[in-house]
Amino acid sequence: MAADSNLSFAFDPHADPVPVSERDQLLANPGFGRVFTDHMVTIRYADGRGWHDAKVHPRVPLQIDPACSVLHYAQEIFEGLKAYRLADGGAALFRPEANARRFRESAERLAMAQLPEELFLESCRQLVKADRDWFPQIEGGSLYLRPFMIASEVFLGVKPSSEYLYMVIASAVGAYFKGGAPAVSLWVSQDFTRAAPGGTGAAKCGGNYAASLLAQSEAIRNGCDQVVFLDAAERRWIEELGGMNVFFVMDDGSLVTPPLSGTILPGITRDSLITLARGMGLTVREERYGIDQWRADAGSGRLREAFACGTAAVVTPIGTVRAPGVEFTIGNAGPGLVTEKLRSALVDIQRGIAPDPHGWVERLF
Ligand SMILES: *Cc1c(COP(=O)(O)O)cnc(C)c1O
């Protein structure tokens, strides 16, 4: 398989890209996940042939057969990472090798072909270079990259597909929250869980999201922004939100975050914040934290701050938590000092403002 990772990418430039004036208009206020660039990457896989046909080409709709197996059995995985505009006008990826590894691990869990990590990395680099004019020139603007892979064999039998289609698309995005993150309110789902032991909770697959949407709607119906899931076995331990990990900041300055027990997505933001916090001399414990404890600690003041984290929104303070007949507020229900300190430490590294002692930033140009 060594030859696979040496695949070179063909480049088929867009003959009719979005006109500059129209692009500028789109980039003035891109929001999140609605404005897409001119190009995309595709790489194909077939059993017996391996990875082939790597190319950067104009972004086009897909034509797939209605019997394509992903449409029936949801063999699909994805990643999310950003290309950041650096303070000096260049651009960089943040820890992309961690996304490449996680993508391979997700593929393994979903019984899919594993894309060599070097090909994943090269696909991201190539797309950012092809669409380098799509960075929004606004505060917090970046290119959000969405590598993903679907089972593409045309067959209705239940088995791992023999063919896969890997793609990367890019979306120009502004700051997820304008003017700094407001505190979010969370709904503690009673009836639904996200992931069970032995399931796919640690894999980044679309199916996990499909399963979380009803709980998320319930959160909205109850006046909350996001759902927070409890563990499936005891319905007691805090796991994570639908797409973000969580941290708790105690009154002694220490942090607690749920351990990677197999039912939680191993977030790269989570891992980076653990490293940064420890570098600041803070104690971080990866240990289980129960919903009853959360409520008691918020009431007693032992818990000072809580926040959620992920690539899209980076760090988001948690203000209030609700469940049927329960409501509690954390700290001053706004961004706390430790939350803000960690958020700015991370963002400053991502934007090339602060030194990068861990080698997390890969400059592209
Ligand atoms: C992607 C994701 C996260 C955050 O991961 P990052 O690598 O920090 O972006 C957290 N939880 C779930 C369920 C996710 O899918």
Side-chain angles (χ1 to χ4, degrees):
M1 284 293 196
D4 284 349
S5 49
N6 293 326
L7 266 190
S8 63
F9 287 71
F11 183 38
D12 171 15
H14 206 307
D16 188 20
V18 175
V20 175
S21 61
E22 196 180 317
R23 187 179 69 210
D24 286 348
Q25 219 167 2
L26 289 168
L27 295 181
N29 187 14
F32 187 90
R34 293 189 185 280
V35 173
F36 297 99
T37 62
D38 290 316
H39 296 91
M40 65 185 288
V41 170
T42 53
I43 311 178
R44 294 186 174 273
Y45 174 90
D47 278 356
R49 189 168 172 198
W51 296 95
H52 59 279
D53 262 1
K55 59 183 172 213
V56 181
H57 59 89
R59 186 175 181 279
V60 285
L62 301 178
Q63 266 208 333
I64 53 175
D65 191 282
C68 186
S69 66
V70 66
L71 299 178
H72 303 274
Y73 310 121
Q75 232 193 335
E76 186 269 356
I77 56 170
F78 67 95
E79 270 301 324
L81 69 163
K82 282 176 176 168
Y84 296 89
R85 179 60 93 180
L86 298 174
D88 66 4
L93 297 173
F94 182 76
R95 303 188 69 182
E97 66 293 334
N99 296 93
R101 185 172 61 246
R102 190 170 66 187
F103 193 70
R104 210 175 37 66
E105 288 166 356
S106 295
E108 185 177 26
R109 178 62 186 85
L110 276 278
M112 302 172 84
Q114 295 177 41
L115 182 71
E117 293 175 26
E118 189 46 46
L119 271 183
F120 177 101
L121 293 170
E122 194 53 27
S123 68
C124 294
R125 294 174 190 134
Q126 297 263 345
L127 186 58
V128 175
K129 285 179 186 163
D131 286 329
R132 58 189 290 159
D133 295 333
W134 280 90
F135 280 89
Q137 302 297 322
I138 53 176
E139 171 80 26
S142 53
L143 275 191
Y144 180 82
L145 304 180
R146 169 52 58 87
F148 64 114
M149 181 162 69
I150 60 172
S152 53
E153 184 178 354
V154 177
F155 179 54
L156 289 182
V158 180
K159 64 154 188 86
S161 177
S162 63
E163 292 173 20
Y164 295 92
L165 176 59
Y166 167 79
M167 291 164 276
V168 191
I169 55 174
S171 175
V173 300
Y176 201 81
F177 297 109
K178 292 208 183 73
V184 293
S185 53
L186 299 187
W187 175 254
V188 186
S189 184
Q190 307 294 300
D191 299 330
F192 306 113
T193 56
R194 195 191 81 90
T200 56
K204 209 165 175 73
C205 61
N208 289 343
Y209 279 73
S212 75
L213 295 177
L214 187 58
Q216 176 62 23
S217 311
E218 188 184 72
I220 303 283
R221 211 169 346 101
N222 283 280
C224 294
D225 300 308
Q226 294 272 331
V227 60
V228 59
F229 289 101
L230 301 177
D231 75 290
E234 295 181 60
R235 304 287 181 107
R236 174 178 172 200
W237 307 106
I238 307 295
E239 297 223 305
E240 61 172 320
L241 314 194
M244 296 177 97
N245 298 116
V246 287
F247 280 83
F248 307 96
V249 184
M250 301 301 165
D251 61 353
D252 62 0
S254 65
L255 287 93
V256 173
T257 191
L260 301 178
S261 53
T263 54
I264 290 174
L265 201 285
I268 295 160
T269 316
R270 173 190 181 278
D271 184 73
S272 305
L273 291 171
I274 291 174
T275 301
L276 290 175
R278 287 184 178 149
M280 291 171 183
L282 301 174
T283 299
V284 184
R285 291 186 302 277
E286 294 179 72
E287 66 187 27
R288 299 197 296 182
Y289 192 66
I291 181 64
D292 294 338
Q293 190 71 44
W294 194 4
R295 184 182 178 183
D297 289 346
S300 71
R302 180 169 172 262
L303 177 75
R304 285 285 165 78
E305 307 171 24
F307 62 86
C309 67
T311 296
V314 194
V315 167
T316 305
I318 298 168
T320 54
V321 179
R322 284 167 63 183
V326 176
E327 171 157 356
F328 57 89
T329 299
I330 297 149
N332 60 4
L337 287 176
V338 175
T339 302
E340 185 46 39
K341 194 170 158 191
L342 285 168
R343 189 196 67 81
S344 58
L346 179 61
V347 169
D348 286 355
I349 295 174
Q350 289 170 335
R351 304 218 162 251
I353 296 166
D356 174 27
H358 307 288
W360 286 342
V361 174
E362 181 190 322
R363 178 184 281 272
L364 298 180
F365 57 82

